[in-house]
Amino acid sequence: TRGKGGRGPGEHLYQSYHQVSQQFPLLVSLLLLASAASLALIILFFSRGMVFGESVAFVVVAIVGLVVFAGSLGLACSERMFSRGMKALSLLTWAALVTLGYVFIFESPVVSAWDQVYFFLFISFSVYTMLPLGVRDAVILSSLSSLSHLVALSVYLSRYRPTQALLPHQLLANAVLYVCVSALGIYQKLQMERALRKTFKDTMNCLESRMKLESEKRQQDHLLLSVLPVYIALEMKAEIMDRLRVPRAGGPHPDTPNNFHNLYIKHHRHVSILYADIVGFTRLASECSPKELVLMLNELFGKFDQIAKENECMRIKILGDCYHCVSGLPVSLPTHATSCVWMGLDMCRVVRKLRGATGVDINMRVGVHSGNVLCGVLGLRKWQYDVWSHDVTLANRMEARGVPGRVHITDATLSHLGGGFEVEGLGSLLDPHLKENSVNTYLVIDPRPPEQPGEGEGVSVPADGEGGSAVPTSARVTRYLESWGAAKPFAHLSPHITLPINTPSMDRMRGKDVPMGNVGSQRNLDRGRSQRRLEEAVHDKISEVIEGLNSHSHWFKSEHLNPLTLYFSTKAMEKQYRSTPVPAFKFYIAAACLTFTCNFIVQLLVSHKNMALGVTYAVTFFIFLLILFTCFVGDFSRCTEKGPPPLHWVSGLSGAVSNRGPLRVAVATLVMAVVLGMALLNLFFLPFPSGRDPCVDRNLPSLPMNETGPVGEEEILIAVPYYMSCCLLALVSCSLFFQVNFELKMVALVLALVVYNVIFLYTHAHLSDAYTCLLYPNSTLPGSHRPNVLKDPKVMGSFSFFIFFFTLLVLVRQNEFCCRLDFLWKWKFREERDQIETMENLNRVLLENVLPSHVAAQFVGQDRRNEDLYHQSYDCVCILFASIPDFKEFYSESDVNREGLECLRLLNEIIADFDELLSKPKYSGVEKIKTIGSTYMAASGLTVAPCPEGQQDTERCCSHIGVMVEFAVALMGKLDSINKHSFNEFQLRIGINHGPVVAGVIGAHKPQYDIWGNSVNVASRMDTTGVLGRIQVTEETARVLRRLGYTCHNRGVITVKGKGELRTYFVATDIPRPSAPGTSPS
C-alpha cells in the first residue's frame, strides 16, 4: 500500500510503530504516575493528622482520580483498546488532571496566585510529551489548561483578594512559566518524533535498499547471462567486483580542495506541474511565414501567461508549442492542484475558441501532476529558472499520454482537489511507466457549461476574404489572435536583459525517464511484475522488523543493549556511539538558555530585588553568552573568514563542541549546573531572617525598604513558591539534552532532587513555614482552617519535585533508547553499505559494458520536439549540442544526496566551467542558447552580417564554424579537468551542424530567446547519434571545415530519426588547426 501525500508504503507501518513503541509506554507511564500521585496525596492527607471532614472535596476527588487513572491504565494495557481509543484516553486523562487541579485550588477558602501552578505546568508538559497527541492537539489542550488557570485566578483574586501583594506580577510570572514550559514541551515533542521517525526511516530505507539491490542483482545477472556464456559472465563479474574493491582496500582518496560555484537551487514540496501541448500546431506552423508564426506564438502564449497569472501559476518555459508552468512556486500555495487544473481547463477553452473562430484544426493536450521539485538556475550565463525532479518528468509524460482537449491528471493531483471536480478514470493502461509505478490517471470534467458558438474573446474570421478569395489559414489565425492584443516581448527586454532568458528548454528531460521497457515489451512486463513483487517483499520484511521492535518490553529484550544502563554490549560500539557528532547540540544549549532566561524573568517579577540578584545573573548571563557564541559561531563562518587571520580558528569552535564527546559532556555539565543552580540561588539572599516567625510575634521590626516604603513580609515570601516553579523548569531543561550521556542526565536529576528537597524541607523550611503562617494566621487554634497538603508550599514543592523527576526519568530513558536504537541500525548496516555501494557500481559497469551504445542512447531520449519557431532569419549559423549522457544514471533523488541537490551541484560546476570559456575573446562570437537537462547548446554566427554573393565571401562568413569546433574541443578539456577533481568518468558527445536558422523572442511576461530551424534539429541529431568523446558533423559542415583546415574522418551512412540516412563525419581533435583559414591541410 502506498501512503497518501507521497509518504510512501511505510507510513502506516511507522504510525503503528509510533503508537506501540513510544505512545503506548509513555501513556502507560503517565497513568501509572498519576495513579501513584493520587494515592500519595491520600496518604499524605491522613498522615498529616487531617480528618475527612476538613477537606471532603480533596479526598473525594483524589479517590475518584485514582479510580479514573487506574481504570484508564487497565484499558490502555489492552493493545486493541489502546489503538482504537487512544485519543479518547488522552482526552479523559487530560480532563481528569485539569479537574483535579481546579478542585485543589478552590477546595480551600485561601487562594493565591501561585496556587497549583506547578500542577498546571505538569499538565502542559505531559500533554506534549506523554499523551499520544499531534502537535496541534497538544498545543490546543495545553493552551486551554494554561489560559483557563490564568483567567480563573485573575477573575477570582481580583474580586475576592484584590489587595494580595504583587498580584499582577504573580499572574505575569505564571504566564511566563506557562509559555516556557509550552515551548520546552513542543521542542521535546518535535525532537522525540524526529528521533523516532529517523530511526524508523533508517531501518526501512536500509531494508528496502537491500532488497531492491538483490532484485537488481538478479535482473543484471539475467541480462548478463542472456548476452554472455555463464563462465565468461561469472569471470567478468568477479573481475569487475575485484576492480571496484581495489580503491577501498587502498584507503580513501584524499579530498582535493575545490572552490565550488554558488548553487541557487532550493527544494519545494507540494507543488503541481503542468505541461500543455498544442496538438496540430506543427502542421499549422508549416503554413506560416516567420513573422506570422512568431506573432502567433507571442499572442497565444501571451494569453496563456495571462491565464497563468489569474490562476496563480508560474510559467517555467516554452518548448516549441509546449507550455510548461508550476503552481506553488516560489511561495507555497495550498490550492496548487486546483489552480493548475483550472489553468489547464482555461487553456483548453481558449484553444477551442480559436478553433471555432478560425476553423483551424488544433487542440490542447494538458497533463498535470503534483509532487516535489528542485527549482533554481544553473551555470554562470543565460540564467534560466527551471525545475527538476522525477515528478516533473511524470507531469511531462502525463501530457504526452493525454487526450486532446482534456486535462489529464494523476491520482496525486486528484488527492489535492478535495472533490472539487468530477473526473473520468483511465487507470494506468495508457503508459507502461505509469502502470509500472501504479499511477492511476484521470480526465477532468469542466464544471462550466459549454460555450455557445461565437461566444468569447476575439472576432470570428471567415474563410473567404473580400471578393470571395480564400483567406490562408495562417492569416485567419494571425488576424484572430491579434484581436487579443497581447503585449510585445521587446517591451520587457530593456533594461533587464537577463530576464527574458530565465526559462530554459528542457525538451530532452522527457528522454531521461524513458523506462527500460521501451527496449522490449517482455522485459517491461517482467520489470512490472518484479517491481510489484519487490514492494510486497519489502512490506513483509519491514512488517516483521517492526513486529520485533513493537514489543512492550523493548527496553529489556535487545541483545545489544544492557537492560539497566542501556549501554551497548561491546565497548567499541559504545565508544563509537559516544564519539558520534551531535549537530543539534547547539539547540540543546539554546533551549536551556530559554529556561534560564524565563527563570530570570520570573524571579525579577516576584523576588526581592537586591545586589545579589543582579550580580549573580550578570555573571551567569555572560557565561551563557560565551557558550552560545561557541556553539553558534560556526554558522557565521563566512563572516569570521573575512576577518583577520588570527580569528579564523573561532569558527571551528562549534564543530569542536558538537563533534568531541568529552568537550560536549563538559559543556552540557556546565550548562545544567548553571541552570539548576540559578533556579534557586537567590533564595539564599531573601532578606528574611531565619529566626523570624510572624505566627508568634506580630510586632516584629520592619524589613528592608523599597521605593514605596518598608517591604512587607508577604512581598518577600511570595517568591518562595515561584523559586520552586523555577526549579521545576530547571529539571525539565536537563531532559532537553537528547544525545548527551544518559547517566549524566540521571546524575543531574537525582542530585537536583536531593538538593532541592533538602533546601526547601530542611535548611530553608522556615521561609515556607513563615509564608504559611501569613496565609493561615489562626491555623494553630482549635477549629480553625489548616492548610491542605497542596496548600503548604514546602509540601507542594517536594511533591512536585518527585512528580517531575519520575516523569523526566521516563522521558530521558525513552529518548536515550531511541537515539541508541537509531545508532544501532546504522551500525548494523554499515558493513552492508560497502556491499551496496559495490553492487551499485557493478550494475553501472555491467550496463556500460554489456549494452551497445545505440541501445544506451535510447535511454537518453530520442523523442525530440520539432521547434519550428521564427523571428529573424540567418543564412549561416553554426549550432552545437554537447551532451553528457552518463549524467542520467548519475542523477537520483535520495536522502544521501539531499533529494538530488548534490547531483545538480556537480552539473552546475560543469556548466559553470563551460560558461567561463565564453568570457575568452577567442569565443566572443559563440552565444550560449540554453541548457537542456545535461545538454549544452550554443551557436555562432548570430552576430555576423549577411553574406554577399560569392564563394570567398561565403567562406569568410562561415569561418565562425571553425571557432565553434575550437570551442567544442575546449569543452572536452574542461570536462576532463572536472573529472580529475570529482573522480568521475563523464564524457562529452558533441554534434555540430550549420545552416539557416530563425531566431526569435516570444512571451510577454517572461520573454525567451531561442533559435529554430531544420539546421538546429540536425545538429541535435548529430549529438544523439554520436559517439562519446567524438565530434560528429554533417557532410556539408565537414566540407566547410576541410576548407578551413580541419581533418574530418568519414564515419559512414547512419540512420537519423526524422531525417533518414545521412553521411556523417568525426572531426579530428588531436591535430592542431593551421593558422591561416582557408588553406588545405598538408
Side-chain angles (χ1 to χ4, degrees):
T1 57
R2 191 171 297 274
K4 294 183 180 180
R7 288 188 174 183
E11 179 61 24
H12 70 287
L13 292 175
Y14 167 75
Q15 294 300 333
S16 173
Y17 173 68
H18 188 201
Q19 285 184 9
V20 182
S21 67
Q22 186 174 88
Q23 293 178 336
F24 171 80
L26 290 179
L27 180 59
V28 168
S29 300
L30 176 62
L31 293 173
L32 277 173
L33 189 61
S35 301
S38 300
L39 182 60
L41 287 176
I42 297 173
I43 295 174
L44 281 174
F45 179 85
F46 291 106
S47 65
R48 287 168 58 88
M50 302 186 73
V51 296
F52 180 77
E54 288 187 72
S55 186
V56 176
F58 177 87
V59 177
V60 170
V61 169
I63 295 175
V64 172
L66 176 61
V67 173
V68 170
F69 294 135
S72 300
L73 179 61
L75 293 176
C77 288
S78 171
E79 186 174 346
R80 185 176 180 182
M81 291 297 297
F82 175 77
S83 59
R84 288 187 174 183
M86 181 176 61
K87 182 163 284 190
L89 282 174
S90 302
L91 292 175
L92 177 62
T93 303
W94 173 80
L97 289 173
V98 172
T99 303
L100 284 174
Y102 278 113
V103 172
F104 293 159
I105 293 174
F106 296 108
E107 56 87 19
S108 169
V110 179
V111 177
S112 304
W114 52 267
D115 239 332
Q116 306 309 315
V117 168
Y118 86 93
F119 198 85
F120 281 85
L121 287 176
F122 172 75
I123 294 174
S124 294
F125 187 69
S126 61
V127 161
Y128 288 110
T129 56
M130 307 289 280
L131 292 181
L133 299 170
V135 175
R136 184 186 64 178
D137 295 337
V139 170
I140 292 174
L141 293 184
S142 175
S143 301
L144 283 176
S145 57
S146 302
L147 288 175
S148 64
H149 182 260
L150 287 173
V151 172
L153 287 182
S154 300
V155 173
Y156 183 87
L157 294 176
S158 61
R159 182 173 181 180
Y160 296 103
R161 293 197 64 191
T163 59
Q164 186 175 133
L166 302 176
L167 177 59
H169 296 73
Q170 293 184 71
L171 295 176
L172 185 57
N174 293 350
V176 172
L177 291 170
Y178 289 141
V179 170
C180 182
V181 81
S182 294
L184 298 181
I186 292 174
Y187 175 78
Q188 184 100 293
K189 186 176 189 64
L190 293 177
Q191 287 287 346
M192 292 168 63
E193 292 187 357
R194 178 178 173 271
L196 190 68
R197 184 175 287 275
K198 187 172 181 291
T199 302
F200 177 81
K201 191 174 183 180
D202 289 339
T203 305
M204 191 177 71
N205 287 343
C206 289
L207 293 175
E208 188 174 1
S209 176
R210 180 198 297 178
M211 301 192 72
K212 283 184 178 180
L213 283 168
E214 291 175 356
S215 176
E216 289 178 4
K217 178 179 178 295
R218 289 191 296 267
Q219 293 176 4
Q220 295 304 327
D221 286 343
H222 178 73
L223 174 63
L224 192 61
L225 293 175
S226 66
V227 178
L228 300 173
V230 175
Y231 70 96
I232 296 178
L234 294 178
E235 184 178 351
M236 180 182 294
K237 185 174 181 180
E239 181 182 352
I240 294 174
M241 292 185 69
D242 291 340
R243 189 166 66 247
L244 291 173
R245 290 193 182 102
V246 167
R248 187 177 296 114
H253 295 283
D255 295 332
T256 302
N258 287 307
N259 293 322
F260 288 99
H261 296 92
N262 290 333
L263 185 66
Y264 303 98
I265 294 178
K266 292 184 179 180
H267 188 267
H268 280 265
R269 299 184 182 275
H270 308 304
V271 301
S272 290
I273 309 112
L274 178 146
Y275 276 91
D277 185 53
I278 305 175
V279 181
F281 188 81
T282 302
R283 183 172 60 255
L284 173 63
S286 64
E287 304 174 9
C288 299
S289 66
K291 182 178 179 181
E292 289 175 335
L293 186 56
V294 171
L295 177 61
M296 184 187 307
L297 288 171
N298 183 66
E299 295 287 343
L300 190 57
F301 289 131
K303 183 65 176 178
F304 292 164
D305 286 343
Q306 180 183 346
I307 297 174
K309 184 177 181 180
E310 294 171 354
N311 288 284
E312 298 183 278
C313 296
M314 173 187 285
R315 191 241 287 174
I316 301 298
K317 60 195 171 187
I318 296 171
L319 303 172
D321 58 351
C322 182
Y323 191 92
H324 175 32
C325 67
V326 174
S327 180
L329 288 179
V331 180
S332 298
L333 185 66
T335 58
H336 55 87
T338 303
S339 298
C340 257
V341 169
W342 276 117
M343 172 80 185
L345 294 174
D346 290 343
M347 295 172 79
C348 292
R349 175 165 287 207
V350 165
V351 174
R352 280 197 298 269
K353 292 178 184 178
L354 175 62
R355 184 177 65 244
T358 63
V360 64
D361 186 17
I362 61 173
N363 215 328
M364 205 73 193
R365 187 174 59 219
V366 181
V368 179
H369 174 61
S370 301
N372 306 324
V373 297
L374 286 165
C375 60
V377 295
L378 294 177
L380 301 178
R381 290 197 174 192
K382 297 292 181 64
W383 280 6
Q384 302 165 330
Y385 191 82
D386 213 338
V387 293
W388 304 267
S389 73
H390 292 315
D391 289 320
V392 174
T393 307
L394 181 56
N396 197 341
R397 189 174 291 274
M398 289 295 295
E399 176 271 310
R401 298 297 183 266
V403 178
R406 304 296 297 275
V407 178
H408 190 205
I409 66 172
T410 62
D411 44 8
T413 302
L414 181 64
S415 65
H416 288 86
L417 296 179
F421 294 89
E422 295 184 6
V423 296
E424 300 173 6
L426 292 180
S428 58
L429 301 178
L430 293 176
D431 186 89
H433 180 79
L434 300 177
K435 184 177 181 181
E436 177 183 326
N437 291 277
S438 303
V439 178
N440 293 317
T441 66
Y442 308 86
L443 295 177
V444 179
I445 300 175
D446 194 337
R448 299 169 295 190
E451 289 187 335
Q452 299 299 323
E455 180 183 353
E457 301 180 49
V459 180
S460 297
V461 181
D464 296 331
E466 297 180 4
S469 58
V471 178
T473 301
S474 59
R476 296 200 307 270
V477 174
T478 304
R479 196 177 304 171
Y480 175 78
L481 292 176
E482 282 182 331
S483 65
W484 287 356
K488 302 300 180 184
F490 299 105
H492 300 271
L493 294 180
S494 181
H496 302 96
I497 194 64
T498 58
L499 292 180
I501 52 179
N502 274 350
T503 54
S505 297
M506 289 179 62
D507 49 343
R508 301 190 183 198
M509 289 298 287
R510 276 187 291 273
K512 284 196 171 188
D513 280 347
V514 175
M516 292 181 67
N518 287 354
V519 177
S521 58
Q522 183 61 41
R523 187 176 174 191
N524 175 57
L525 293 175
D526 293 342
R527 185 179 178 87
R529 295 192 190 101
S530 64
Q531 180 69 20
R532 287 192 294 273
R533 288 195 298 267
L534 174 62
E535 291 181 356
E536 294 173 359
V538 170
H539 187 282
D540 295 340
K541 183 64 177 176
I542 294 176
S543 298
E544 294 176 6
V545 174
I546 299 305
E547 194 66 30
L549 292 175
N550 282 353
S551 172
H552 294 178
S553 56
H554 58 273
W555 283 354
F556 307 101
K557 285 191 174 182
S558 175
E559 59 181 0
H560 297 280
L561 296 175
N562 184 289
L564 180 63
T565 64
L566 294 180
Y567 285 4
F568 287 109
S569 56
T570 61
K571 292 183 178 180
M573 193 185 302
E574 182 68 23
K575 183 179 179 181
Q576 189 175 356
Y577 172 76
R578 292 179 181 272
S579 61
T580 302
V582 183
F585 183 77
K586 57 186 178 183
F587 300 113
Y588 307 161
I589 302 298
C593 184
L594 173 65
T595 306
F596 175 79
T597 305
C598 290
N599 281 346
F600 169 69
I601 295 174
V602 170
Q603 295 178 24
L604 196 64
L605 288 171
V606 298
S607 183
H608 178 70
K609 285 76 173 177
N610 51 32
M611 181 64 70
L613 180 68
V615 171
T616 53
Y617 269 103
V619 173
T620 49
F621 261 117
F622 178 73
I623 295 174
F624 253 112
L625 288 176
L626 287 179
I627 297 175
L628 287 173
F629 174 79
T630 302
C631 293
F632 283 91
V633 69
D635 296 339
F636 305 95
S637 57
R638 291 186 178 179
C639 299
T640 56
E641 289 174 359
K642 293 180 180 179
L647 295 179
H648 290 180
W649 62 272
V650 175
S651 59
L653 292 175
S654 299
V657 172
S658 60
N659 297 332
R660 298 182 182 179
L663 182 59
R664 192 167 58 236
V665 171
V667 174
T669 304
L670 176 61
V671 170
M672 290 182 189
V674 170
V675 176
L676 291 171
M678 289 305 298
L680 82 163
L681 179 62
N682 287 285
L683 177 73
F684 299 102
F685 301 108
L686 288 180
F688 196 91
S690 60
R692 187 182 181 94
D693 189 353
C695 292
V696 177
D697 191 351
R698 298 289 176 179
N699 300 314
L700 294 173
S702 299
L703 291 170
M705 304 286 290
N706 60 12
E707 294 83 353
T708 59
V711 178
E713 295 172 335
E714 187 175 1
E715 292 185 30
I716 295 177
L717 298 176
I718 197 70
V720 174
Y722 283 98
Y723 276 108
M724 297 177 181
S725 297
C726 291
C727 292
L728 296 179
L729 291 185
L731 290 174
V732 172
S733 69
C734 293
S735 68
L736 303 178
F737 293 82
F738 277 75
Q739 289 180 267
V740 176
N741 300 355
F742 171 66
E743 62 273 15
L744 174 63
K745 292 177 281 188
M746 279 292 302
V747 169
L749 289 174
V750 171
L751 286 178
L753 177 69
V754 173
V755 171
Y756 288 164
N757 277 288
V758 168
I759 291 174
F760 286 106
L761 293 179
Y762 180 69
T763 62
H764 286 68
H766 66 280
L767 296 175
S768 299
D769 295 337
Y771 188 42
T772 303
C773 289
L774 289 176
L775 296 176
Y776 300 88
N778 300 318
S779 59
T780 57
L781 301 178
S784 62
H785 189 79
R786 292 185 295 170
N788 204 339
V789 175
L790 298 181
K791 293 289 186 175
D792 188 339
K794 64 181 181 182
V795 177
M796 177 271 296
S798 180
F799 182 77
S800 62
F801 292 152
F802 277 98
I803 291 292
F804 270 83
F805 171 78
F806 287 111
T807 302
L808 295 174
L809 179 64
V810 172
L811 290 175
V812 167
R813 188 175 177 85
Q814 177 73 13
N815 295 337
E816 181 75 6
F817 179 79
C818 288
C819 293
R820 287 181 175 267
L821 188 62
D822 179 59
F823 175 83
L824 180 61
W825 276 110
K826 291 180 179 179
W827 177 84
K828 280 185 175 182
F829 289 101
R830 186 167 290 117
E831 294 181 358
E832 189 175 329
R833 188 179 306 158
D834 293 338
Q835 248 180 339
I836 290 174
E837 183 180 350
T838 302
M839 186 58 61
E840 289 176 344
N841 292 331
L842 174 62
N843 291 341
R844 175 181 55 81
V845 173
L846 287 177
L847 284 174
E848 291 176 353
N849 285 277
V850 172
L851 295 178
S853 60
H854 68 278
V855 175
Q858 296 189 34
F859 297 98
V860 179
Q862 298 290 335
D863 186 16
R864 300 289 191 264
R865 255 179 222 290
N866 189 358
E867 302 180 356
D868 294 323
L869 304 178
Y870 302 88
H871 173 53
Q872 185 173 350
S873 298
Y874 294 90
D875 294 329
C876 182
V877 171
C878 186
I879 309 103
L880 172 142
F881 283 87
S883 64
I884 311 173
D886 293 340
F887 192 80
K888 170 184 175 280
E889 295 181 7
F890 177 78
Y891 180 82
S892 63
E893 296 177 3
S894 65
D895 292 334
V896 176
N897 57 45
R898 297 170 63 190
E899 303 294 333
L901 185 64
E902 297 306 318
C903 296
L904 292 180
R905 185 185 302 277
L906 179 58
L907 181 60
N908 180 60
E909 292 300 308
I910 296 172
I911 295 176
D913 282 5
F914 289 173
D915 289 343
E916 287 177 348
L917 291 173
L918 298 174
S919 61
K920 295 185 177 182
K922 183 178 182 180
Y923 307 121
S924 59
V926 178
E927 187 75 20
K928 176 185 175 182
I929 303 301
K930 57 189 172 184
T931 55
I932 312 164
S934 59
T935 300
Y936 195 89
M937 180 183 176
S940 64
L942 294 173
T943 59
V944 177
C947 292
E949 297 293 333
Q951 181 67 23
Q952 296 297 325
D953 290 331
T954 302
E955 289 183 4
R956 180 180 59 81
C957 292
C958 292
S959 62
H960 60 82
I961 300 176
V963 177
M964 182 61 80
V965 172
E966 304 260 352
F967 180 70
V969 175
L971 292 180
M972 291 181 172
K974 276 288 185 182
L975 188 58
D976 289 340
S977 177
I978 293 174
N979 286 334
K980 292 179 182 178
H981 290 88
S982 62
F983 306 102
N984 285 300
E985 298 178 356
F986 294 132
Q987 285 185 284
L988 277 179
R989 187 183 61 195
I990 299 177
I992 294 178
N993 184 40
H994 82 285
V997 300
V998 173
V1001 179
I1002 59 174
H1005 295 290
K1006 296 172 69 177
Q1008 177 177 322
Y1009 179 84
D1010 211 340
I1011 59 174
W1012 305 273
N1014 184 65
S1015 300
V1016 179
N1017 297 331
V1018 173
S1020 175
R1021 303 306 177 210
M1022 291 298 98
D1023 163 35
T1024 57
T1025 60
V1027 176
L1028 289 174
R1030 306 297 296 271
I1031 302 173
Q1032 182 174 228
V1033 299
T1034 59
E1035 186 173 10
E1036 293 78 8
T1037 303
R1039 190 179 301 119
V1040 174
L1041 289 174
R1042 282 173 171 170
R1043 289 199 297 267
L1044 294 174
Y1046 293 90
T1047 300
C1048 300
H1049 302 291
N1050 187 0
R1051 181 186 184 186
V1053 178
I1054 64 172
T1055 300
V1056 179
K1057 182 179 178 182
K1059 306 299 175 184
E1061 294 186 346
L1062 295 179
R1063 182 176 297 277
T1064 62
Y1065 293 79
F1066 290 136
V1067 180
T1069 59
D1070 55 347
I1071 301 176
R1073 177 192 173 191
S1075 57
T1079 60
S1080 300
S1082 56

